[in-house]
């Protein structure tokens, strides 16, 4: 098997793991939040990160991967930024309507494209831009309902979008710059993310729910779903870093919207959630956008591989990270969907 085939197989595995684990944690968290009333999203996310770090520490002890220290300031800044972005996304959900929160999620892709174009001189073809537009239109039709604006919520949403985009771009660039694997980066940044959310989590959750996470009645059933959620989060966190490292932040966001559509479909089929023809139409349009995105990326990858390397302009590269066929050699908040009010009790995939 050639190196290119191994890379493509690894990318397919990373994408599949990300989809399966994310949908699983949505179902688990839906039971925990909606059914059992455990609405402390940010604090739960800090526990996710702690369990992830402990799991990776055991894996390191078993020599399943090699510890590779690098720039401590970069790791600390990256970890804290990731923690802040998670807190801001939860605040955005708490202080905005569900529809406006979904618009915030949709804004991450164009914001990422803009930042990568301005600061990394990365070129996105018109075909890629068109496919992303179709994708966003479909997800918007399927998920966005009410759009109630307020100043505080709008500012929080803007900050959430910016920090999430920067954190995801850093996930990709740090792995390339320091030549570290997704596991090595996750292992070193997890403590800073967890500590950030340990500090702000109880305060944010108390602000959003008017309840104290430490005064909550932890029944055996609640504890079971918390432990299950934390275990699944290990896979979610690992696959997030793996996908962004192997593809790109934009491809990861496209995959995130695929998971949103799957969550809506599973909710209708398995949980009998309310569904309408608007949801179905939106999901179908989004799927068309995803297929076009993957096709365009694959086509551009093939064209680029056929061109002489000397003709490639240094510093400029096309967006060529398809969902199932990423560019050979290419180098995390809330991965999910909120559907019902009140906002902080909605069926939302917690940012693991």
């Amino acid at each position: 098997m050639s190196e290119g085939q191994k890379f493509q197989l690894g990318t397919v595995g990373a994408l599949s793991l990300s989809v399966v684990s994310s949908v699983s944690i949505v179902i688990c968290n839906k039971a925990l939040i909606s059914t059992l009333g455990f609405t402390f999203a940010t604090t739960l996310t800090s526990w996710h990160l702690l369990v992830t770090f402990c799991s990776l520490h055991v894996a390191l002890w078993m020599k399943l991967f090699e510890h590779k220290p690098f720039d401590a300031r970069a790791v600390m800044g990256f970890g804290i930024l990731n923690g802040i972005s998670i807190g801001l996304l939860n605040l955005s959900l708490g202080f905005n309507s569900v529809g406006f929160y979904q618009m915030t999620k949709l804004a991450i892709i164009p914001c990422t494209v803009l930042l990568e174009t301005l600061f990394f001189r990365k070129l996105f073809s018109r075909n890629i831009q068109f496919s992303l537009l179709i994708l966003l239109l479909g997800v918007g039709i399927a998920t966005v309902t009410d759009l109630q604006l307020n100043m505080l919520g709008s500012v929080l949403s803007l900050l959430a979008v910016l920090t999430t985009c920067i954190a995801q771009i850093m996930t990709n660039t740090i792995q390339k710059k320091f030549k570290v694997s997704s596991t090595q980066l996750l292992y070193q940044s997890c403590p800073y993310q967890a500590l950030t959310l340990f500090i702000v989590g109880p305060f944010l959750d108390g602000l959003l729910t008017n309840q104290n996470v430490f005064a909550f009645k932890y029944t055996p059933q609640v504890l079971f779903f918390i432990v299950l959620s934390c275990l699944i989060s290990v896979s979610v966190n690992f696959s997030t870093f793996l996908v962004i490292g192997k593809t790109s932040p934009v491809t990861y966001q496209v995959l995130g919207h695929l998971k949103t559509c799957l969550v809506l479909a599973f909710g209708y089929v398995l949980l009998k959630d309310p569904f309408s023809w608007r949801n179905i139409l939106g999901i179908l349009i989004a799927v068309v956008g995803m297929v076009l995105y993957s096709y365009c990326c694959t086509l551009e990858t093939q064209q680029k591989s056929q061109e002489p390397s000397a003709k490639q302009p240094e510093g400029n590269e096309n967006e060529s990270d398809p969902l199932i066929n990423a560019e050979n050699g290419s180098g995390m908040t809330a991965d999910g969907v909120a559907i019902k009010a009140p906002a902080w009790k909605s069926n939302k995939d917690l940012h693991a």
Side-chain angles (χ1 to χ4, degrees), residues 142-154:
T143 61
V144 176
T145 51
D146 57 316
L147 289 177
Q148 301 174 9
L149 304 180
N150 64 82
M151 180 59 68
L152 177 59
S154 300

Side-chain angles (χ1 to χ4, degrees), residues 134-283:
I134 294 177
L135 166 66
L136 296 177
L137 176 64
V139 177
I141 293 174
T143 61
V144 176
T145 51
D146 57 316
L147 289 177
Q148 301 174 9
L149 304 180
N150 64 82
M151 180 59 68
L152 177 59
S154 300
V155 172
L156 290 172
S157 293
L158 176 61
L159 293 175
V161 169
L162 288 175
T163 53
T164 300
C165 291
I166 294 172
Q168 291 182 356
I169 291 174
M170 286 180 66
T171 302
N172 182 273
T173 55
I174 286 177
Q175 291 185 53
K176 288 182 178 180
K177 179 178 179 180
F178 297 102
K179 294 181 173 57
V180 294
S181 68
S182 55
T183 308
Q184 291 167 335
L185 177 59
L186 179 60
Y187 174 70
Q188 295 185 62
S189 63
C190 252
Y192 299 107
Q193 296 182 60
L195 181 61
T196 301
L197 293 178
F198 266 128
I199 295 173
V200 303
F203 170 76
L204 291 184
D205 290 334
L207 181 66
L208 295 174
T209 65
N210 294 321
Q211 299 181 56
N212 186 346
V213 63
F214 302 110
F216 188 81
K217 185 178 180 180
Y218 291 89
T219 64
Q221 192 176 14
V222 170
L223 290 175
F224 170 79
F225 277 99
I226 288 177
V227 171
L228 180 61
S229 179
C230 288
L231 293 176
I232 298 174
S233 73
V234 176
S235 177
V236 174
N237 285 317
F238 174 73
S239 62
T240 294
F241 278 60
L242 190 60
V243 168
I244 296 177
K246 283 185 172 291
T247 59
S248 73
V250 173
T251 295
Y252 175 72
Q253 285 300 322
V254 172
L255 184 67
H257 290 307
L258 169 62
K259 291 182 285 190
T260 296
C261 294
L262 288 175
V263 168
L264 288 173
F266 276 120
Y268 173 68
V269 174
L270 300 179
L271 305 175
K272 305 302 180 182
D273 286 341
F275 218 70
S276 68
W277 284 107
R278 174 178 172 173
N279 299 128
I280 298 174
L281 176 63
I283 289 176

Side-chain angles (χ1 to χ4, degrees), residues 2-213:
S2 66
E3 289 298 322
Q5 290 175 327
K6 290 181 180 178
F7 182 83
Q8 292 176 15
L9 184 62
T11 303
V12 171
L15 295 168
S16 302
L17 178 63
S18 179
V19 171
V20 172
S21 58
S22 295
V23 173
S24 299
I25 204 170
V26 167
I27 297 173
C28 178
N29 289 342
K30 179 172 183 177
L32 189 58
I33 293 175
S34 300
T35 305
L36 301 177
F38 188 85
T39 57
F40 310 103
T42 308
T43 302
L44 179 60
T45 305
S46 69
W47 298 344
H48 287 172
L49 291 164
L50 177 61
V51 172
T52 299
F53 174 74
C54 293
S55 301
L56 290 176
H57 193 71
V58 172
L60 179 63
W61 177 73
M62 297 174 64
K63 297 183 178 180
L64 297 179
F65 72 96
E66 180 183 354
H67 180 45
K68 184 179 179 180
F70 58 98
D71 192 337
R73 289 180 298 178
V75 175
M76 181 183 298
F78 170 71
I80 293 174
L81 180 63
N82 256 314
I84 292 174
S85 71
I86 295 171
L88 285 172
L89 280 168
N90 286 334
L91 278 175
S92 174
L93 178 57
F95 283 94
N96 288 302
S97 65
V98 174
F100 190 78
Y101 174 76
Q102 289 299 336
M103 289 298 295
T104 298
K105 298 276 291 178
L106 292 176
I108 292 176
I109 284 184
C111 182
T112 302
V113 170
L114 178 62
L115 290 176
E116 290 198 307
T117 302
L118 291 177
F119 295 101
F120 294 91
R121 297 181 181 179
K122 193 168 187 179
L123 301 179
F124 297 83
S125 68
R126 289 187 177 181
N127 289 335
I128 293 291
Q129 295 175 23
F130 180 68
S131 63
L132 291 175
L133 181 62
I134 294 177
L135 166 66
L136 296 177
L137 176 64
V139 177
I141 293 174
T143 61
V144 176
T145 51
D146 57 316
L147 289 177
Q148 301 174 9
L149 304 180
N150 64 82
M151 180 59 68
L152 177 59
S154 300
V155 172
L156 290 172
S157 293
L158 176 61
L159 293 175
V161 169
L162 288 175
T163 53
T164 300
C165 291
I166 294 172
Q168 291 182 356
I169 291 174
M170 286 180 66
T171 302
N172 182 273
T173 55
I174 286 177
Q175 291 185 53
K176 288 182 178 180
K177 179 178 179 180
F178 297 102
K179 294 181 173 57
V180 294
S181 68
S182 55
T183 308
Q184 291 167 335
L185 177 59
L186 179 60
Y187 174 70
Q188 295 185 62
S189 63
C190 252
Y192 299 107
Q193 296 182 60
L195 181 61
T196 301
L197 293 178
F198 266 128
I199 295 173
V200 303
F203 170 76
L204 291 184
D205 290 334
L207 181 66
L208 295 174
T209 65
N210 294 321
Q211 299 181 56
N212 186 346
V213 63

